[in-house]
Amino acid sequence: MRKVKLLLLFLILLAATKIFSQNKTSVINDFVKAVFIEDKSAQFIADHYIYFQSIKNTKVSHTERMKFFETLFLDFKNENSESLKKSDFQIVSYPDFKGEKIKFLHEPADAYVIAQNNKAIFYVCLKENKIFSFTYITKGEWAFFLTY
């Protein structure tokens, strides 16, 4: 009886993890669709998909942050538009991606690789079911996600 209860608990946890993971990949899939297929504006993307970290006592206004985001967004869109006009991409959690990938100094818990034919196209980091970052910089052999 105890083994049955443990097995049942394991199956419930496994199902919950899969549903939670599907929700995250759904957010990324919807983001890619909105950016590359539906050609939504930076403001729309910011309002619906982006997690803006609150900054206390900042000298940077919301308008300046939005300009920074728009610049990064347009660069991101231009760099990846040819690759992602089709829907033949995969969303793989960073640890599970087996192809060649960027090394992050601090591997984020919710990082994903958007890939085509086992080749990384770009990386996404999630926070609270929104996109925390889709932009990174490299310093030496390490990469760091930028926040908006």
Side-chain angles (χ1 to χ4, degrees):
M1 184 69 170
R2 185 173 182 194
K3 287 182 182 180
V4 172
K5 286 181 181 180
L6 285 174
L7 181 62
L8 184 59
L9 178 63
F10 176 75
L11 291 174
I12 290 170
L13 289 174
L14 185 64
T17 302
K18 185 168 178 90
I19 290 168
F20 191 64
S21 177
Q22 286 175 340
N23 192 24
K24 290 179 179 188
T25 58
S26 175
V27 168
I28 298 168
N29 192 48
D30 291 348
F31 166 77
V32 171
K33 182 180 170 187
V35 173
F36 298 105
I37 296 170
E38 297 172 356
D39 199 28
K40 297 291 186 179
S41 70
Q43 186 64 55
F44 179 89
I45 298 300
D47 292 343
H48 291 86
Y49 297 102
I50 305 300
Y51 177 89
F52 284 94
Q53 189 169 4
S54 62
I55 301 173
K56 296 178 181 180
N57 302 324
T58 182
K59 294 180 182 178
V60 179
S61 70
H62 176 71
T63 303
E64 290 170 320
R65 283 179 81 182
M66 194 59 204
K67 284 182 183 179
F68 175 69
F69 172 76
E70 286 177 9
T71 300
L72 292 174
F73 174 74
L74 291 175
D75 287 346
F76 166 77
K77 191 172 177 179
N78 289 335
E79 287 176 15
N80 297 298
S81 64
E82 286 303 313
S83 300
L84 293 168
K85 283 187 177 178
K86 303 174 194 168
S87 60
D88 65 341
F89 60 90
Q90 299 83 40
I91 301 168
V92 183
S93 70
Y94 183 86
D96 292 339
F97 184 68
K98 301 302 180 205
E100 188 175 324
K101 59 187 171 186
I102 299 289
K103 294 178 188 175
F104 288 93
L105 182 59
H106 303 288
E107 185 179 315
D110 282 337
Y112 292 84
V113 179
I114 289 58
Q116 284 179 328
N117 301 321
N118 207 34
K119 180 182 175 205
I121 304 296
F122 70 94
Y123 302 82
V124 173
C125 181
L126 297 180
K127 186 169 186 174
E128 296 179 15
N129 250 6
K130 287 204 164 199
I131 295 174
F132 186 63
S133 183
F134 54 78
T135 311
Y136 64 91
I137 58 170
T138 55
K139 181 74 175 168
E141 64 182 47
W142 299 105
F144 305 87
F145 277 111
L146 295 177
T147 59
Y148 316 113

